[in-house]
Amino acid sequence: MGCCNNKHNVNKVKCPLCKIEGEAIHFLVVESVVKKELASIVIDEQYYTCRNSDCEVIFYNESYEKIFLIQDIDLSSDFKNVTKSSKSTCGSGCGKKCNH
């Protein structure tokens, strides 16, 4: 089950546009990189990021009620460091260190 037991991330949620499996990301990360005028509509629940570089979708929630596209991202934010996968952290987005 990976390096942490994050039960709410057991189900993989596919991108609503390209249908590729997304990667879990905390809502505070989403809130920190979307444009200021959109930050207020980010809700406190699990989000996912689309890892397909050819897709317009960046973030979405499980119910697909909140979908953020490339144009919704504040380009001055450090988006690459926020969404870049790291081998040193848990792939389910829990932020814990993995023992590989």
Side-chain angles (χ1 to χ4, degrees):
M1 193 190 270
C3 66
C4 66
N5 295 322
N6 199 346
K7 293 179 181 167
H8 68 275
N9 283 334
V10 173
N11 296 328
K12 298 292 183 172
V13 180
K14 293 182 180 180
C15 172
L17 185 60
C18 70
K19 306 300 184 206
I20 291 177
E21 203 170 86
E23 193 170 308
I25 193 164
H26 196 276
F27 82 95
L28 289 175
V29 175
V30 176
E31 190 176 68
S32 71
V33 297
V34 296
K35 290 181 179 177
K36 288 180 185 177
E37 61 269 19
L38 297 174
S40 65
I41 65 170
V42 176
I43 53 180
D44 180 359
E45 67 177 45
Q46 185 67 56
Y47 280 83
Y48 299 86
T49 182
C50 181
R51 305 302 278 175
N52 179 357
S53 61
D54 295 326
C55 186
E56 291 289 316
V57 173
I58 301 295
F59 302 117
Y60 55 94
N61 63 352
E62 191 167 352
S63 64
Y64 304 125
E65 289 176 2
K66 304 291 181 189
I67 299 171
F68 296 97
L69 306 175
I70 292 170
Q71 66 206 33
D72 299 327
I73 303 303
D74 178 0
L75 298 178
S76 67
S77 62
D78 195 358
F79 182 66
K80 185 176 180 181
N81 283 338
V82 170
T83 60
K84 186 176 179 182
S85 291
S86 172
K87 292 181 182 179
S88 64
T89 60
C90 179
S92 66
C94 68
K96 294 181 182 176
K97 297 286 182 184
C98 294
N99 297 323
H100 292 284

